[in-house]
Amino acid sequence: MTTITKFDQFGLSAGMLASLERMDYTTPTPVQAQAIPLALKGRDIMGSAQTGTGKTAAFAIPLVEHLLKNPTSTALVLTPTRELGKQIMDIMHQLLGPKSGIKTAFLIGGAPMNKQMDMLRKNPRLVVGTPGRINDHLERRTVNFDKTDFLVLDETDRMLDMGFSVQLDRIFKFLPNKRQTLMFSATLPKNIVNLSQQYLHNPERIAVGSTVTPSKNINQVIVKLTEEQKFGVLVEQLEARKGSVVIFVKTKYGTERLAKRLKGNNSGFTAEAIHGDLKQNRRDRVIRDYRAQKYRILVATDVVARGLDVPHIEHMINYDFQQ
């Protein structure tokens, strides 16, 4: 017997409610409470919500419901990074359930093209991917979005920051004009507003939390140092604090160098580096081991600055000012 939860108010299918129960989703977060009813009605959405608000489920639940109720429809989710895409795909598979016949494809750079082509030959109804690799497949004519009537852009501001505007414009040309589009962004600069006006139809505007002020439970500190002082003070800070840490460094080479230096500092630090040049299997392993708390310190470029769900992180340090 399915436990009645507050998700019942949305009129979701029995299969979806069963999936939510398996996932221990009981009460919708504010962004879910706002977005899900509108999306189920077929409305376009322009949403601003920070990481950690339950945003992924806010678009994933109505997306999966749409696919279940419309057997000929397909859906596309665009995301800025491979890691965020993997998290989104994991949630989609959980919502679809273990016996779902809906095929999926995960299209990201750094992964074997042949394996992705094998997924596409099975006519997936859900594609999650990064704009660059999606464009690669469009150029090869190995992907078809003629029936894609549900589109999600997640972390849109991040995608534009990473230079994906040209790729996004090209992808839109291959999508049907008649579609439902959900766009989420942590911030709303002018280019995001312009994009929403260009590609969304009379969107509903939802906002959860401030996009300019930090969360109330975050304490921020600025330490002014010379370049020569930085490493010594970093070590002092790490020794004085407990719990997992993410250290953001400006360059790919800098992440490797700092992680190596921390591990060789005779302080008992455990650290790994992650950046965009790592092969995908190594990036997956680094994140997997970090979630499992096999090491304490993750030294990263801003490739992991958005969207990663690692609940045990207690400290974030910007060792360099970001670009």
Coordinates of all heavy atoms in Angstrom, one line a residue, residues 89-166:
M89 N 20.8 12.3 -14.6 CA 20.4 11.0 -15.2 C 20.1 10.0 -14.1 O 19.2 9.2 -14.3 CB 21.5 10.5 -16.2 CG 21.1 9.3 -16.9 SD 19.6 9.5 -18.0 CE 20.4 10.0 -19.5
D90 N 20.9 10.0 -13.1 CA 20.6 9.1 -12.0 C 19.2 9.3 -11.4 O 18.5 8.3 -11.1 CB 21.7 9.2 -10.9 CG 23.0 8.7 -11.3 OD1 23.1 7.9 -12.3 OD2 24.0 9.0 -10.6
I91 N 18.8 10.5 -11.2 CA 17.5 10.8 -10.7 C 16.4 10.4 -11.7 O 15.4 9.9 -11.3 CB 17.4 12.3 -10.3 CG1 18.3 12.6 -9.0 CG2 15.9 12.7 -10.0 CD1 18.3 14.1 -8.6
M92 N 16.6 10.7 -12.9 CA 15.7 10.3 -14.0 C 15.4 8.8 -13.9 O 14.3 8.3 -14.0 CB 16.2 10.7 -15.3 CG 16.2 12.2 -15.6 SD 14.6 12.9 -15.6 CE 15.0 14.6 -16.1
H93 N 16.5 8.0 -13.8 CA 16.4 6.5 -13.8 C 15.6 6.1 -12.6 O 14.8 5.1 -12.6 CB 17.8 5.9 -13.9 CG 18.4 5.9 -15.2 ND1 19.7 5.9 -15.4 CD2 17.8 6.0 -16.4 CE1 20.0 5.9 -16.7 NE2 18.8 6.0 -17.4
Q94 N 15.9 6.7 -11.4 CA 15.1 6.4 -10.2 C 13.7 6.7 -10.4 O 12.8 5.9 -9.9 CB 15.7 7.1 -9.0 CG 17.1 6.7 -8.6 CD 17.6 7.5 -7.4 OE1 17.1 7.5 -6.3 NE2 18.7 8.3 -7.7
L95 N 13.3 7.8 -11.0 CA 11.9 8.2 -11.2 C 11.3 7.3 -12.2 O 10.1 6.9 -12.1 CB 11.8 9.6 -11.7 CG 12.2 10.7 -10.6 CD1 12.2 12.1 -11.3 CD2 11.2 10.7 -9.5
L96 N 12.0 6.9 -13.2 CA 11.4 5.9 -14.2 C 11.1 4.6 -13.6 O 10.2 3.9 -14.0 CB 12.4 5.8 -15.4 CG 12.4 7.0 -16.4 CD1 13.6 6.9 -17.3 CD2 11.1 7.1 -17.2
G97 N 11.9 4.2 -12.7 CA 11.8 2.9 -12.0 C 12.5 1.8 -12.7 O 12.8 1.9 -13.9
P98 N 12.7 0.7 -12.0 CA 13.6 -0.4 -12.6 C 12.9 -1.1 -13.8 O 13.6 -1.8 -14.5 CB 13.7 -1.3 -11.4 CG 12.6 -1.1 -10.5 CD 12.3 0.4 -10.7
K99 N 11.6 -1.1 -13.9 CA 10.9 -1.8 -15.0 C 10.5 -0.9 -16.2 O 9.7 -1.4 -17.0 CB 9.7 -2.6 -14.4 CG 10.1 -3.6 -13.3 CD 8.9 -4.3 -12.8 CE 9.2 -5.3 -11.7 NZ 8.0 -6.0 -11.2
S100 N 11.0 0.3 -16.2 CA 10.6 1.2 -17.3 C 11.1 0.7 -18.6 O 12.3 0.3 -18.7 CB 11.1 2.6 -17.0 OG 10.8 3.5 -18.1
G101 N 10.3 0.9 -19.6 CA 10.7 0.6 -21.0 C 11.2 1.8 -21.7 O 11.6 1.7 -22.9
I102 N 11.3 2.9 -21.1 CA 11.8 4.1 -21.7 C 13.3 4.1 -21.8 O 14.0 4.1 -20.7 CB 11.3 5.4 -20.9 CG1 9.8 5.5 -21.1 CG2 11.9 6.7 -21.5 CD1 9.1 6.6 -20.3
K103 N 13.8 4.1 -23.0 CA 15.3 4.1 -23.2 C 15.8 5.6 -23.0 O 15.1 6.6 -23.2 CB 15.6 3.7 -24.6 CG 15.2 2.2 -24.9 CD 16.0 1.2 -24.1 CE 15.8 -0.2 -24.6 NZ 14.4 -0.7 -24.4
T104 N 17.1 5.6 -22.5 CA 17.7 6.9 -22.3 C 19.1 6.9 -22.9 O 19.7 5.9 -23.2 CB 17.9 7.2 -20.7 OG1 18.8 6.2 -20.2 CG2 16.5 7.1 -20.0
A105 N 19.6 8.2 -23.1 CA 21.0 8.3 -23.6 C 21.6 9.5 -22.9 O 21.0 10.5 -22.7 CB 20.9 8.6 -25.1
F106 N 22.9 9.2 -22.5 CA 23.7 10.2 -21.8 C 24.8 10.7 -22.7 O 25.7 9.9 -22.9 CB 24.2 9.6 -20.5 CG 24.9 10.6 -19.6 CD1 24.5 11.9 -19.4 CD2 26.0 10.1 -18.8 CE1 25.2 12.8 -18.6 CE2 26.7 11.0 -18.0 CZ 26.2 12.3 -17.9
L107 N 24.8 11.9 -23.2 CA 25.7 12.4 -24.2 C 26.6 13.5 -23.7 O 26.2 14.6 -23.6 CB 24.9 12.9 -25.4 CG 23.9 11.9 -26.0 CD1 23.2 12.6 -27.2 CD2 24.5 10.6 -26.4
I108 N 27.8 13.1 -23.3 CA 28.7 14.1 -22.7 C 30.1 13.9 -23.4 O 30.5 12.9 -23.9 CB 28.9 13.8 -21.2 CG1 29.4 12.4 -21.0 CG2 27.6 14.1 -20.5 CD1 29.8 12.1 -19.5
G109 N 30.8 15.0 -23.4 CA 32.2 15.0 -23.9 C 33.1 14.2 -23.0 O 32.8 14.0 -21.8
G110 N 34.2 13.6 -23.6 CA 35.1 12.8 -22.8 C 34.7 11.4 -22.7 O 35.5 10.6 -22.2
A111 N 33.5 11.0 -23.2 CA 33.1 9.6 -23.2 C 33.1 9.0 -24.6 O 33.0 9.8 -25.6 CB 31.6 9.5 -22.6
P112 N 33.2 7.7 -24.7 CA 33.4 7.1 -26.0 C 32.2 7.4 -26.9 O 31.0 7.2 -26.6 CB 33.5 5.6 -25.7 CG 33.9 5.5 -24.3 CD 33.3 6.7 -23.6
M113 N 32.4 7.9 -28.1 CA 31.4 8.2 -29.1 C 30.6 7.0 -29.5 O 29.4 7.0 -29.7 CB 32.0 9.0 -30.3 CG 30.9 9.4 -31.3 SD 29.9 10.8 -30.7 CE 30.9 12.2 -30.8
N114 N 31.3 5.9 -29.7 CA 30.7 4.7 -30.2 C 29.6 4.2 -29.2 O 28.5 3.7 -29.6 CB 31.7 3.6 -30.5 CG 32.6 3.9 -31.7 OD1 32.2 4.6 -32.5 ND2 33.7 3.2 -31.7
K115 N 29.9 4.3 -27.9 CA 29.0 3.8 -26.9 C 27.7 4.7 -26.9 O 26.6 4.2 -26.8 CB 29.6 3.9 -25.5 CG 28.8 3.3 -24.4 CD 29.5 3.4 -23.1 CE 28.6 2.8 -21.9 NZ 29.4 2.9 -20.6
Q116 N 27.9 6.0 -27.2 CA 26.8 6.9 -27.2 C 26.0 6.6 -28.5 O 24.7 6.7 -28.4 CB 27.3 8.3 -27.2 CG 27.9 8.7 -25.9 CD 28.4 10.1 -25.9 OE1 28.2 10.9 -26.8 NE2 29.2 10.5 -24.8
M117 N 26.6 6.3 -29.6 CA 25.9 5.9 -30.8 C 25.0 4.7 -30.6 O 23.9 4.6 -31.1 CB 26.8 5.8 -32.0 CG 27.4 7.0 -32.5 SD 28.6 6.8 -33.9 CE 29.0 8.5 -34.3
D118 N 25.6 3.7 -29.8 CA 24.8 2.5 -29.5 C 23.5 2.9 -28.8 O 22.4 2.3 -29.0 CB 25.6 1.5 -28.7 CG 26.7 0.9 -29.5 OD1 26.6 0.9 -30.8 OD2 27.7 0.4 -28.9
M119 N 23.6 3.8 -27.8 CA 22.5 4.2 -27.1 C 21.4 4.9 -28.0 O 20.2 4.7 -27.9 CB 22.9 5.2 -25.9 CG 23.6 4.5 -24.8 SD 23.9 5.6 -23.4 CE 25.2 6.6 -24.0
L120 N 21.9 5.7 -28.9 CA 21.0 6.5 -29.8 C 20.4 5.6 -30.8 O 19.2 5.8 -31.3 CB 21.8 7.6 -30.6 CG 22.3 8.7 -29.7 CD1 23.3 9.6 -30.4 CD2 21.1 9.5 -29.1
R121 N 21.0 4.5 -31.2 CA 20.4 3.5 -32.1 C 19.1 2.8 -31.5 O 18.3 2.3 -32.2 CB 21.4 2.4 -32.6 CG 22.5 3.0 -33.5 CD 23.3 1.9 -34.0 NE 24.5 2.4 -34.7 CZ 25.7 2.4 -34.2 NH1 26.0 1.9 -32.9 NH2 26.8 2.9 -34.8
K122 N 19.0 2.9 -30.2 CA 17.9 2.3 -29.5 C 16.7 3.2 -29.4 O 15.7 2.9 -28.7 CB 18.3 1.8 -28.1 CG 19.4 0.7 -28.2 CD 19.9 0.3 -26.8 CE 20.9 -0.7 -26.8 NZ 21.5 -1.1 -25.5
N123 N 16.8 4.4 -30.1 CA 15.7 5.4 -30.1 C 15.3 5.8 -28.7 O 14.2 5.6 -28.3 CB 14.5 4.8 -30.9 CG 14.8 4.5 -32.3 OD1 15.5 5.3 -33.0 ND2 14.4 3.4 -32.8
P124 N 16.2 6.4 -28.0 CA 15.9 6.8 -26.6 C 14.9 7.9 -26.6 O 14.8 8.8 -27.5 CB 17.3 7.4 -26.1 CG 18.0 7.8 -27.3 CD 17.6 6.8 -28.4
R125 N 14.0 7.9 -25.6 CA 13.0 9.0 -25.5 C 13.5 10.1 -24.5 O 12.8 11.1 -24.4 CB 11.7 8.3 -25.0 CG 11.1 7.4 -26.1 CD 9.7 6.9 -25.6 NE 8.8 8.0 -25.3 CZ 7.9 7.9 -24.4 NH1 7.7 6.8 -23.7 NH2 7.1 9.0 -24.2
L126 N 14.6 9.8 -23.8 CA 15.1 10.9 -22.9 C 16.6 11.0 -23.2 O 17.4 10.0 -23.1 CB 14.9 10.5 -21.5 CG 15.6 11.3 -20.4 CD1 15.3 12.8 -20.5 CD2 15.4 10.8 -19.0
V127 N 17.1 12.2 -23.5 CA 18.5 12.5 -23.7 C 18.9 13.5 -22.7 O 18.3 14.6 -22.6 CB 18.8 13.0 -25.1 CG1 20.2 13.4 -25.3 CG2 18.4 11.9 -26.2
V128 N 20.0 13.2 -22.0 CA 20.6 14.2 -21.1 C 22.0 14.4 -21.6 O 22.7 13.4 -21.9 CB 20.6 13.7 -19.6 CG1 21.4 14.7 -18.7 CG2 19.2 13.5 -19.1
G129 N 22.4 15.7 -21.7 CA 23.8 15.9 -22.3 C 24.3 17.3 -22.1 O 23.5 18.2 -21.7
T130 N 25.5 17.5 -22.5 CA 26.2 18.8 -22.5 C 26.1 19.4 -23.9 O 26.1 18.6 -24.9 CB 27.6 18.7 -22.1 OG1 28.3 17.6 -22.9 CG2 27.8 18.3 -20.6
P131 N 26.0 20.7 -24.1 CA 25.7 21.3 -25.4 C 26.8 20.9 -26.4 O 26.5 20.7 -27.6 CB 25.7 22.8 -25.1 CG 25.3 22.9 -23.7 CD 25.9 21.7 -23.0
G132 N 28.1 20.9 -26.0 CA 29.1 20.5 -27.0 C 28.9 19.2 -27.6 O 29.0 19.0 -28.8
R133 N 28.7 18.2 -26.8 CA 28.6 16.8 -27.3 C 27.2 16.6 -28.1 O 27.2 15.9 -29.1 CB 28.7 15.8 -26.2 CG 28.6 14.3 -26.6 CD 29.5 13.9 -27.8 NE 30.9 14.1 -27.6 CZ 31.7 13.1 -27.2 NH1 31.2 11.9 -27.0 NH2 33.0 13.4 -27.0
I134 N 26.2 17.3 -27.6 CA 24.9 17.2 -28.4 C 25.2 17.8 -29.8 O 24.7 17.2 -30.8 CB 23.8 18.1 -27.7 CG1 23.5 17.5 -26.3 CG2 22.6 18.2 -28.6 CD1 22.8 16.2 -26.4
N135 N 25.9 18.9 -29.9 CA 26.2 19.4 -31.2 C 27.1 18.5 -32.1 O 26.9 18.4 -33.3 CB 26.9 20.8 -31.1 CG 25.9 21.9 -31.1 OD1 25.6 22.5 -32.1 ND2 25.5 22.3 -29.9
D136 N 28.0 17.8 -31.4 CA 28.8 16.8 -32.2 C 27.9 15.7 -32.8 O 28.1 15.4 -34.0 CB 29.7 16.0 -31.2 CG 30.9 16.9 -30.7 OD1 31.1 18.0 -31.4 OD2 31.5 16.6 -29.7
H137 N 26.9 15.3 -32.1 CA 25.9 14.3 -32.6 C 25.0 14.9 -33.7 O 24.7 14.2 -34.7 CB 25.1 13.7 -31.5 CG 25.9 12.6 -30.7 ND1 26.1 11.4 -31.2 CD2 26.4 12.7 -29.5 CE1 26.8 10.7 -30.3 NE2 27.0 11.5 -29.3
L138 N 24.6 16.1 -33.5 CA 23.8 16.8 -34.6 C 24.6 16.9 -35.9 O 24.1 16.7 -37.0 CB 23.4 18.2 -34.1 CG 22.3 18.2 -33.0 CD1 22.1 19.7 -32.5 CD2 21.0 17.7 -33.6
E139 N 25.9 17.2 -35.8 CA 26.8 17.3 -37.0 C 26.9 15.9 -37.6 O 27.0 15.8 -38.9 CB 28.1 17.9 -36.6 CG 28.1 19.3 -36.2 CD 29.4 19.9 -35.8 OE1 30.4 19.1 -35.8 OE2 29.5 21.1 -35.4
R140 N 27.0 14.9 -36.8 CA 27.1 13.5 -37.4 C 25.7 13.0 -37.8 O 25.7 11.9 -38.4 CB 27.7 12.6 -36.3 CG 29.1 12.9 -36.0 CD 29.6 12.1 -34.7 NE 30.9 12.3 -34.4 CZ 31.9 11.4 -34.6 NH1 31.6 10.2 -35.1 NH2 33.1 11.7 -34.2
R141 N 24.7 13.7 -37.5 CA 23.3 13.2 -37.8 C 23.0 11.9 -37.1 O 22.3 11.0 -37.6 CB 23.1 13.1 -39.3 CG 23.2 14.4 -40.0 CD 22.9 14.3 -41.5 NE 23.1 15.6 -42.2 CZ 22.9 15.8 -43.5 NH1 22.5 14.8 -44.2 NH2 23.0 17.0 -44.0
T142 N 23.5 11.8 -35.9 CA 23.3 10.5 -35.1 C 22.2 10.7 -34.1 O 21.9 9.8 -33.3 CB 24.6 10.1 -34.4 OG1 25.2 11.1 -33.7 CG2 25.5 9.5 -35.5
V143 N 21.7 12.0 -33.9 CA 20.6 12.2 -33.0 C 19.5 13.0 -33.7 O 19.8 13.8 -34.6 CB 21.1 13.0 -31.8 CG1 21.5 14.4 -32.1 CG2 20.1 13.1 -30.7
N144 N 18.2 12.7 -33.3 CA 17.1 13.4 -34.0 C 16.2 13.9 -32.9 O 15.7 13.2 -32.0 CB 16.4 12.4 -34.9 CG 15.3 13.0 -35.7 OD1 14.5 13.8 -35.2 ND2 15.2 12.7 -37.0
F145 N 15.9 15.2 -33.0 CA 15.0 15.8 -32.0 C 13.6 16.2 -32.5 O 13.0 17.1 -32.0 CB 15.7 17.1 -31.4 CG 16.9 16.7 -30.6 CD1 18.1 17.4 -30.8 CD2 16.9 15.7 -29.6 CE1 19.3 17.1 -30.1 CE2 18.0 15.4 -28.9 CZ 19.2 16.1 -29.1
D146 N 13.2 15.6 -33.7 CA 12.0 16.0 -34.3 C 10.8 15.8 -33.4 O 9.8 16.5 -33.5 CB 11.7 15.2 -35.6 CG 12.7 15.5 -36.7 OD1 13.4 16.6 -36.6 OD2 12.8 14.8 -37.7
K147 N 10.8 14.9 -32.5 CA 9.7 14.6 -31.6 C 9.9 15.1 -30.1 O 9.2 14.7 -29.2 CB 9.4 13.1 -31.6 CG 8.9 12.6 -32.9 CD 8.6 11.1 -32.8 CE 8.1 10.6 -34.2 NZ 7.8 9.1 -34.1
T148 N 11.0 15.9 -30.0 CA 11.3 16.4 -28.7 C 10.5 17.6 -28.3 O 10.7 18.7 -28.7 CB 12.8 16.8 -28.6 OG1 13.6 15.6 -28.9 CG2 13.2 17.3 -27.2
D149 N 9.4 17.3 -27.5 CA 8.5 18.4 -27.2 C 8.6 18.8 -25.7 O 7.7 19.5 -25.2 CB 7.0 18.0 -27.5 CG 6.6 16.7 -26.8 OD1 7.4 16.2 -26.1 OD2 5.5 16.3 -27.1
F150 N 9.7 18.3 -25.0 CA 9.9 18.7 -23.6 C 11.4 19.0 -23.5 O 12.2 18.1 -23.7 CB 9.5 17.6 -22.7 CG 9.3 18.1 -21.2 CD1 8.0 18.1 -20.7 CD2 10.3 18.5 -20.4 CE1 7.8 18.5 -19.4 CE2 10.2 18.9 -19.1 CZ 8.9 18.9 -18.6
L151 N 11.8 20.3 -23.2 CA 13.2 20.7 -23.1 C 13.4 21.3 -21.8 O 12.6 22.1 -21.3 CB 13.5 21.7 -24.2 CG 14.8 22.4 -24.2 CD1 16.0 21.5 -24.4 CD2 14.9 23.6 -25.1
V152 N 14.6 20.9 -21.2 CA 15.0 21.5 -19.9 C 16.4 22.1 -20.1 O 17.3 21.4 -20.6 CB 15.0 20.5 -18.7 CG1 15.6 21.1 -17.5 CG2 13.6 20.0 -18.5
L153 N 16.6 23.3 -19.7 CA 18.0 23.9 -19.6 C 18.3 24.1 -18.1 O 17.6 24.9 -17.5 CB 18.1 25.2 -20.4 CG 17.9 25.1 -21.9 CD1 16.4 25.4 -22.3 CD2 18.8 26.2 -22.6
D154 N 19.2 23.4 -17.6 CA 19.6 23.5 -16.2 C 20.9 24.3 -16.0 O 21.8 24.1 -16.8 CB 19.7 22.1 -15.6 CG 19.8 22.2 -14.0 OD1 19.3 23.2 -13.5 OD2 20.4 21.3 -13.4
E155 N 21.0 25.1 -15.0 CA 22.1 26.0 -14.8 C 22.5 26.7 -16.1 O 23.6 26.7 -16.6 CB 23.3 25.1 -14.3 CG 23.1 24.3 -13.1 CD 23.1 25.1 -11.8 OE1 23.3 26.3 -11.9 OE2 23.0 24.5 -10.7
T156 N 21.5 27.4 -16.6 CA 21.6 28.1 -17.8 C 22.7 29.2 -17.8 O 23.5 29.4 -18.7 CB 20.3 28.8 -18.3 OG1 19.2 27.8 -18.2 CG2 20.4 29.3 -19.7
D157 N 22.8 29.9 -16.7 CA 23.8 30.9 -16.6 C 25.2 30.3 -16.6 O 26.1 30.9 -17.2 CB 23.6 31.8 -15.3 CG 23.5 30.9 -14.0 OD1 23.3 29.7 -14.1 OD2 23.7 31.5 -12.9
R158 N 25.4 29.2 -16.1 CA 26.6 28.5 -16.1 C 27.0 28.1 -17.5 O 28.1 28.1 -18.0 CB 26.6 27.3 -15.2 CG 27.9 26.5 -15.1 CD 28.8 27.2 -14.1 NE 30.1 26.5 -14.0 CZ 31.2 26.8 -14.7 NH1 31.2 27.8 -15.6 NH2 32.3 26.1 -14.6
M159 N 26.0 27.6 -18.3 CA 26.2 27.2 -19.7 C 26.7 28.4 -20.5 O 27.6 28.3 -21.3 CB 25.0 26.6 -20.3 CG 24.7 25.1 -19.8 SD 23.5 24.2 -20.8 CE 22.0 24.9 -20.1
L160 N 26.1 29.5 -20.3 CA 26.5 30.7 -21.0 C 27.9 31.2 -20.6 O 28.7 31.6 -21.4 CB 25.5 31.9 -20.9 CG 24.1 31.6 -21.4 CD1 23.2 32.8 -21.3 CD2 24.2 31.1 -22.9
D161 N 28.2 31.1 -19.3 CA 29.5 31.5 -18.8 C 30.6 30.6 -19.4 O 31.7 31.1 -19.6 CB 29.6 31.3 -17.2 CG 28.8 32.4 -16.5 OD1 28.5 33.4 -17.1 OD2 28.5 32.2 -15.3
M162 N 30.3 29.4 -19.7 CA 31.2 28.4 -20.3 C 31.3 28.6 -21.8 O 32.0 27.8 -22.4 CB 30.9 27.0 -19.9 CG 31.0 26.7 -18.4 SD 30.4 25.1 -17.9 CE 31.6 24.0 -18.6
G163 N 30.6 29.5 -22.4 CA 30.7 29.8 -23.8 C 29.8 28.9 -24.7 O 30.1 28.7 -25.8
F164 N 28.7 28.4 -24.1 CA 27.9 27.5 -24.9 C 26.7 28.2 -25.6 O 25.9 27.5 -26.2 CB 27.3 26.4 -24.0 CG 28.2 25.3 -23.5 CD1 28.3 24.9 -22.2 CD2 29.0 24.7 -24.4 CE1 29.1 23.9 -21.8 CE2 29.9 23.7 -24.0 CZ 30.0 23.3 -22.7
S165 N 26.7 29.5 -25.7 CA 25.6 30.2 -26.3 C 25.4 29.8 -27.8 O 24.3 29.6 -28.3 CB 25.8 31.7 -26.2 OG 27.0 32.2 -26.8
V166 N 26.5 29.7 -28.5 CA 26.4 29.3 -29.9 C 25.9 27.9 -30.1 O 25.0 27.7 -30.9 CB 27.8 29.4 -30.6 CG1 27.8 28.9 -32.0 CG2 28.3 30.9 -30.6

